[in-house]
Amino acid sequence: MIPDVLFALGLLLTPASQLRLAGFPVGPGEICLLIWIVLILGREAARLGSSLTPALSRLLIFWSFFAVAQSLGTLTAALIGDRHDPEWFIHDVMAYPLLAAVSCLSLIGPHAGPRLRRISWLLCALGTPVVAAQLANAWGLFDIPSVDPWWWDQVRGWSSNPHQLALLCMVLGILSLHLAETATRLGTRIAALACAIVPVYTGRLTGSDSFSLILVATGPIFIAFKFRTWLVSRAPRVSFRSAFAWMIVLALPLIVVSVVPLAYSIAVEAQGLANSMERENPEQTEEKTSLRFELWGQAIRRGVGSGMLGLGPGPHLEIPHSIVSQRNLETEQPEFVEHPKLTFAPNFEAHNTFLDLFTQGGLIIVLSFIWIVATAFWFAYRTGQAGLPTLLCGLCIYSVATFILRHPVFWFVIALCLVAEPRPTDRVRSVAGGKALSGILPRSPLRIGYGTSKLRIRSS
């Protein structure tokens, strides 16, 4: 139980980079994960058993390709004379082994599926007080000397920027929905949905455009997966009325939290356009769009210029001049901000997962990343549940504007999807339904026996 709590706390506190001591690259989140890694390695060394499973094998294959692609990128950069910013190069070199260890060790050992589900409950249960504490800090209920919880008018909590907190809130919100969907008791389902309230509310206060988009899109995505589950279900005792009722019960909270922020955003934008023609929404949106396309174009050129082999760990883009001039003009900035500085070497990112991977490891690393995400999605999709595929879709949406690969909670979701399996009750219903439809009815009640490898159904 202690390792599970450490793992959950590590996932929750890793984005809290403002809690790190000055000059140290690790904070409470990284310390919890390092202690957890040592405990898991010690447990596996004492057990002396074979721990290789199909899910773990898939992650090991991905990280092997990842290491090869990063090594080839580093050699390519050395051959063409490309320069690295040593600070950010070392940052990625230290971060990637930690992420590989977290993702692989979360799947090691027997019964990885039930263990990850238990950690999911811990993550959502502990996530509410952790996020609420950051919100209370932003409201001035207490003060931490080394933390500025605001990014101008956006809440960033204990993170470096609002997007890190928003990503965590998004995962907690949809993960709570998944736990509610798979709960077997009404009280447990209500408790899981309650865990989503504070993260969703805080995510809205971060002002993240990606979070708002996901919040609006999650409802239709979740309902579409639920409709798919109902349409392909072969259980004979599920009526249209009960199936539709359960879909409404599960989707109603998500529909509410999706529609309310959308209505609020539309009202705010309409009021802004009516009140003035200042440089708020239209011009600012145009500047963001042009800046993003400039970074994406630069990333594509850098990746193609390396022969599609990449340039190794670290950022490889030049800081746009518009960002440099804006920083010089702004007299007041949030405290404790770690911005890449203008140096002799490129040290800016595209803020797009696929393009940042393309500049680091070329086509090899992009294809391997697509493979592991597609594999995780397939395992989540085949469960017949809607929460996990919806969560993975949300992360994919976030990857367009954020480099999500460095977030340990992303790898926790990937691991959770890789071990996802249909519940045994669903399998039994499916088999019974198939027999009923084909006219083959058992002469006596079914006896269900569980073997070591599969579910056996026999009649006496």
Side-chain angles (χ1 to χ4, degrees):
M1 187 64 180
I2 293 178
D4 294 346
V5 173
L6 283 172
F7 189 36
L9 287 175
L11 296 176
L12 291 171
L13 295 178
T14 301
S17 52
Q18 290 191 74
L19 297 181
R20 298 171 184 170
L21 296 177
F24 287 89
V26 297
E30 290 81 4
I31 292 174
C32 287
L33 290 179
L34 290 172
I35 296 174
W36 174 80
I37 289 173
V38 172
L39 292 177
I40 297 300
L41 289 176
R43 183 194 68 187
E44 293 303 312
R47 198 165 59 87
L48 294 177
S50 177
S51 301
L52 194 61
T53 61
L56 178 58
S57 300
R58 293 181 180 92
L59 271 183
L60 289 174
I61 291 172
F62 166 78
W63 285 112
S64 298
F65 277 105
F66 187 90
V68 169
Q70 292 283 9
S71 301
L72 287 175
T74 304
L75 291 175
T76 302
L79 288 176
I80 66 177
D82 190 78
R83 295 173 297 178
H84 285 83
D85 187 319
E87 177 184 355
W88 297 104
F89 177 81
I90 296 297
H91 175 273
D92 280 4
V93 169
M94 293 176 61
Y96 290 146
L98 176 64
L99 294 169
V102 167
S103 60
C104 292
L105 290 179
S106 63
L107 293 176
I108 202 167
H111 314 299
R115 185 176 67 252
L116 289 180
R117 180 171 176 81
R118 184 170 63 249
I119 294 173
S120 299
W121 275 105
L122 287 171
L123 192 63
C124 293
L126 296 174
T128 293
V130 169
V131 174
Q134 300 184 54
L135 194 59
N137 186 197
W139 286 344
L141 299 181
F142 66 91
D143 182 61
I144 301 177
S146 61
V147 170
D148 179 10
W150 289 93
W151 179 280
W152 282 281
D153 59 343
Q154 298 174 255
V155 173
R156 63 171 177 172
W158 302 334
S159 303
S160 296
N161 59 70
H163 303 291
Q164 294 177 348
L165 178 60
L167 177 61
L168 177 63
C169 291
M170 185 271 293
V171 171
L172 292 177
I174 306 181
L175 186 60
S176 299
L177 182 65
H178 163 66
L179 294 177
E181 179 192 11
T182 55
T184 56
R185 303 179 191 174
L186 179 60
T188 308
R189 184 173 290 117
I190 294 175
L193 290 175
C195 291
I197 296 175
V198 174
V200 170
Y201 178 71
T202 306
R204 282 294 300 160
L205 295 180
T206 62
S208 170
D209 296 333
S210 298
F211 185 88
S212 300
L213 175 61
I214 292 170
L215 200 60
V216 173
T218 297
I221 292 174
F222 182 84
I223 294 174
F225 282 125
K226 293 303 292 184
F227 265 112
R228 172 259 171 194
T229 302
W230 174 72
L231 289 174
V232 302
S233 175
R234 294 181 293 174
R237 298 191 180 186
V238 180
S239 65
F240 174 82
R241 181 179 299 177
S242 61
F244 186 78
W246 275 113
M247 279 194 299
I248 295 298
V249 168
L250 289 172
L252 186 59
L254 194 60
I255 294 174
V256 171
V257 298
S258 299
V259 172
V260 171
L262 178 61
Y264 176 77
S265 299
I266 293 175
V268 169
E269 291 179 6
Q271 182 180 5
L273 289 174
N275 288 342
S276 64
M277 298 183 62
E278 297 175 352
R279 65 176 278 267
E280 277 184 353
N281 289 332
E283 295 182 5
Q284 196 170 17
T285 301
E286 185 178 353
E287 290 176 3
K288 285 183 179 180
T289 303
S290 61
L291 177 61
R292 195 167 295 277
F293 279 119
E294 178 185 349
L295 290 172
W296 290 357
Q298 187 183 164
I300 294 174
R301 291 192 297 271
R302 294 283 282 166
V304 173
S306 67
M308 295 191 180
L309 293 174
L311 299 168
H316 299 286
L317 305 185
E318 299 282 353
I319 302 178
H321 295 290
S322 58
I323 293 181
V324 177
S325 59
Q326 184 178 4
R327 289 179 186 172
N328 294 331
L329 292 175
E330 291 173 345
T331 57
E332 296 184 2
Q333 293 190 6
E335 295 183 284
F336 315 114
V337 178
E338 195 174 355
H339 281 314
K341 298 178 176 59
L342 190 61
T343 62
F344 65 94
N347 59 3
F348 208 75
E349 292 182 336
H351 296 88
N352 178 287
T353 300
F354 296 96
L355 291 179
D356 282 321
L357 288 176
F358 186 56
T359 59
Q360 291 189 10
L363 200 57
I364 298 175
I365 203 169
V366 171
L367 293 177
S368 60
F369 182 75
I370 293 174
W371 170 76
I372 193 65
V373 172
T375 303
F377 180 81
W378 165 246
F379 279 95
Y381 178 79
R382 71 171 190 163
T383 62
Q385 300 160 4
L388 278 183
T390 302
L391 177 55
L392 209 51
C393 288
L395 286 170
C396 290
I397 294 174
Y398 237 108
S399 68
V400 177
T402 306
F403 191 24
I404 62 173
L405 187 133
R406 290 201 200 97
H407 293 264
V409 72
F410 166 77
W411 292 108
F412 172 77
V413 173
I414 293 293
L416 189 63
C417 293
L418 289 176
V419 297
E421 293 183 355
R423 287 175 292 180
T425 54
D426 295 336
R427 296 179 183 176
V428 174
R429 286 181 180 178
S430 180
V431 173
K435 288 186 176 181
L437 290 174
S438 61
I440 304 175
L441 296 176
R443 296 181 179 178
S444 60
L446 293 178
R447 294 180 181 175
I448 302 173
Y450 291 88
T452 56
S453 60
K454 62 182 181 179
L455 180 66
R456 302 195 303 273
I457 301 179
R458 61 181 184 272
S459 61
S460 59

